[in-house]
Amino acid sequence: MMVLSKLTGILIPLVFIVGIWGTSGLVYDEFSDGSICPKILSIPACYIIALCLVVPFIGHLLNWNKIVYYAGTGLAASIALFGTMSNLSGLTQCPQTASGTPMCYISLALFTSLIALKFVQQKLQS
């Protein structure tokens, strides 16, 4: 149990850092070139995803109410799930990595992992 607790304590910040690092390039490209990210209510989805990484990460580090964590990661997971389903059905095209992997797939895995890790961490602490 103690090993799993330490592991979640390391993995949660690590996943956030990887996500923020990966998203920052896309946000920069969207800001400088425009029309790279699909829009949600005329806001580029990558901006929303970046915010859903930064705010819950700060909340996690500062031990804010877990509602902030789950609201941010849950919103982003929902967006990523919608993007994944839309991409798979051919309705939209998610931005892709250099190797051709749709970023919405990666985003869905990342946010699902963050939700699961936080849930496990909370269960271990109670």
Side-chain angles (χ1 to χ4, degrees):
M1 288 271 217
M2 189 61 116
V3 172
L4 191 54
S5 181
K6 286 183 180 182
L7 188 59
T8 59
I10 293 168
L11 285 176
I12 292 173
L14 184 63
V15 173
F16 271 120
I17 291 167
V18 167
I20 291 167
W21 179 261
T23 305
S24 63
L26 188 59
V27 167
Y28 176 78
D29 290 345
E30 174 66 29
F31 185 74
S32 59
D33 297 336
S35 71
I36 292 173
C37 299
K39 308 283 189 278
I40 299 173
L41 301 173
S42 68
I43 302 168
C46 53
Y47 292 179
I48 298 168
I49 296 298
L51 193 62
C52 288
L53 280 163
V54 172
V55 173
F57 183 42
I58 292 169
H60 174 75
L61 293 176
L62 298 178
N63 206 22
W64 290 347
N65 187 320
K66 286 158 190 55
I67 292 172
V68 172
Y69 185 96
Y70 286 117
T73 56
L75 173 63
S78 299
I79 292 168
L81 178 61
F82 180 77
T84 296
M85 306 271 292
S86 296
N87 193 74
L88 289 171
S89 67
L91 293 174
T92 60
Q93 183 73 22
C94 294
Q96 297 182 351
T97 63
S99 63
T101 304
M103 290 182 186
C104 53
Y105 300 177
I106 296 167
S107 187
L108 180 60
L110 185 134
F111 284 104
T112 302
S113 298
L114 286 169
I115 292 167
L117 285 167
K118 188 66 164 182
F119 181 77
V120 168
Q121 184 181 54
Q122 283 182 267
K123 289 297 177 189
L124 290 171
Q125 290 173 347
S126 61

